[in-house]
Amino acid sequence: MKNIFCYVLALFLMAFQVAYSQELDSNKNPGKGRLMIEPTLELVNRDFGKGSFLGYAYQLGIGYNLRINARIGGYPGIGLYTLNQSASVLENNFLGGIFEDARFKESGVLIYHTFHLHRRFMVSPELGFGLLQLIHGESPSRFILNYNRLFGGLGLSYVLIKDKNGVYDVNLIVRGGYGGLNGSEIIINQSDRSYVRRATDIQGSLGIQISFH
């Protein structure tokens, strides 16, 4: 996991350095100064670190993520997101075999900056904070685990369609991210606290973004 993290960080730094040098050329920064609203729908694959309860107890399916970003061209922006993902519960001592499946529901906020490598290629580093609910069963007998998640990521975008009137673009988005989770409010015996309360995750996603400007 440490090797993967180092690789992602190195990729992030190299992409940031290249993108920043390109940003200095105003000819490769279309839309500078314009307000842009950017809704995005993504399919998400997620993998938790194996040395944690989250990595051991769940088999995750493909999830979906809805984002709404807002920025002024050439400046950092802010985004809101909500992510939903289903999972099968694997055999484990903590849940006692009561549940067969679970739902991951996460929402949060992020800051990001979009740099143009070319008029059709962009790169967007981001940092964010989210609240993750891990829901088992249905009301009134459902069981919920709550986690905070701090993450960093990098998105690569390609403009598929440019509106001839300059009103919108349609972009293909590929994104990767690494996060740390903390469930400090989860009540568990002291010997299992670190194992249950803490985890890391890697996410990859593919989606479509519409950029209105």
Side-chain angles (χ1 to χ4, degrees):
M1 185 63 69
K2 289 183 179 180
N3 291 336
I4 294 175
F5 175 71
C6 292
Y7 175 77
V8 172
L9 180 61
L11 180 64
F12 172 84
L13 292 175
M14 287 188 294
F16 182 84
Q17 183 178 9
V18 172
Y20 185 73
S21 64
Q22 295 291 341
E23 177 73 1
L24 297 178
D25 183 356
S26 60
N27 292 328
K28 293 184 178 180
N29 186 20
K32 187 172 184 179
R34 293 184 182 179
L35 174 63
M36 300 184 182
I37 306 297
E38 300 172 325
T40 306
L41 180 63
E42 301 173 341
L43 296 178
V44 179
N45 185 44
R46 179 184 232 163
D47 185 31
F48 291 108
K50 298 305 180 184
S52 67
F53 167 73
L54 292 181
Y56 175 78
Y58 301 92
Q59 180 67 51
L60 279 75
I62 299 298
Y64 66 90
N65 187 21
L66 177 62
R67 292 180 176 228
I68 299 181
N69 294 344
R71 65 186 177 96
I72 294 177
Y75 300 92
I78 188 169
L80 301 175
Y81 73 93
T82 178
L83 188 156
N84 287 269
Q85 194 167 16
S86 61
S88 299
V89 178
L90 305 178
E91 184 177 351
N92 65 88
N93 295 328
F94 182 66
L95 295 176
I98 300 174
F99 304 103
E100 296 183 356
D101 50 41
R103 291 172 292 145
F104 288 77
K105 298 184 66 174
E106 182 179 340
S107 57
V109 61
L110 58 96
I111 56 173
Y112 69 102
H113 200 351
T114 297
F115 301 95
H116 287 262
L117 303 175
H118 184 267
R119 285 191 174 273
R120 287 188 178 269
F121 285 98
M122 294 161 284
V123 59
S124 300
E126 63 188 26
L127 291 172
F129 176 81
L131 301 176
L132 171 66
Q133 280 195 323
L134 179 48
I135 304 171
H136 308 77
E138 301 293 338
S139 297
S141 59
R142 66 180 183 173
F143 175 65
I144 300 176
L145 296 174
N146 294 306
Y147 291 88
N148 299 326
R149 178 170 174 262
L150 183 65
F151 63 91
L154 185 69
L156 299 175
S157 308
Y158 175 74
V159 180
L160 295 173
I161 301 172
K162 294 184 71 70
D163 174 42
K164 63 181 181 180
N165 297 318
V167 176
Y168 67 89
D169 298 332
V170 178
N171 306 325
L172 176 68
I173 303 287
V174 178
R175 198 185 315 276
Y178 181 87
L181 293 98
N182 185 345
S184 59
E185 296 181 359
I186 297 174
I187 299 174
I188 186 69
N189 62 78
Q190 186 171 358
S191 61
D192 291 329
R193 283 179 185 172
S194 179
Y195 175 69
V196 173
R197 289 180 174 181
R198 297 188 181 277
T200 58
D201 73 342
I202 294 177
Q203 287 190 19
S205 63
L206 177 67
I208 293 293
Q209 178 186 79
I210 303 178
S211 179
F212 297 99
H213 47 77

